[in-house]
Amino acid sequence: MPRVKKNISEYISLNGKVAPVFDEVLDSDQLYSEKIILGLRMSDGIGSEIYSGLCADTRKKRFCDNLLKNNMAKIHPNGNFALTPQGWLVSNTIIEELM
């Protein structure tokens, strides 16, 4: 494992060329899950194609519909599904339900 830079000047002098600690290879299911987890933690939300995939599951669609109805989520004009500030307060629970 690379040595951690404890001196900020030393870190800056590397100009962002810090060796990665490890590489992670995700399969398609893991990548899909990561897109949901990370996307719902951002204001842009998840893309419409991922949202459509969630809605293919009846239980998840009903859950998303309830989030929209209760102002915990919204649909952006571009079709992205995103949490509102109220949804962010309970985002871990929401994300867990959608996994």
Side-chain angles (χ1 to χ4, degrees):
M1 183 177 299
R3 186 172 70 83
V4 176
K5 305 297 180 204
K6 295 184 180 183
N7 178 316
I8 191 70
S9 298
E10 184 181 355
Y11 176 81
I12 291 170
S13 72
L14 293 173
N15 197 25
K17 293 178 176 66
V18 179
V21 175
F22 66 90
D23 288 332
E24 182 177 15
V25 178
L26 303 176
D27 65 31
S28 61
D29 289 340
Q30 291 168 319
L31 184 59
Y32 182 77
S33 294
E34 288 291 318
K35 286 181 180 181
I36 293 170
I37 292 166
L38 298 174
L40 289 178
R41 290 193 166 116
M42 296 174 30
S43 60
D44 287 344
I46 56 175
S48 58
E49 69 285 347
I50 302 232
Y51 178 60
S52 294
L54 286 175
C55 289
D57 179 301
T58 306
R59 183 189 63 78
K60 291 177 183 179
K61 178 171 181 6
R62 199 174 13 223
F63 183 74
C64 288
D65 288 345
N66 280 331
L67 292 174
L68 292 165
K69 178 182 168 188
N70 291 299
N71 197 34
M72 302 287 274
K74 62 184 176 183
I75 303 287
H76 285 291
N78 66 1
N80 283 9
F81 177 86
L83 298 181
T84 63
Q86 294 86 354
W88 283 333
L89 295 174
V90 290
S91 63
N92 286 343
T93 302
I94 291 171
I95 291 166
E96 186 177 325
E97 278 294 318
L98 294 175
M99 298 315 299

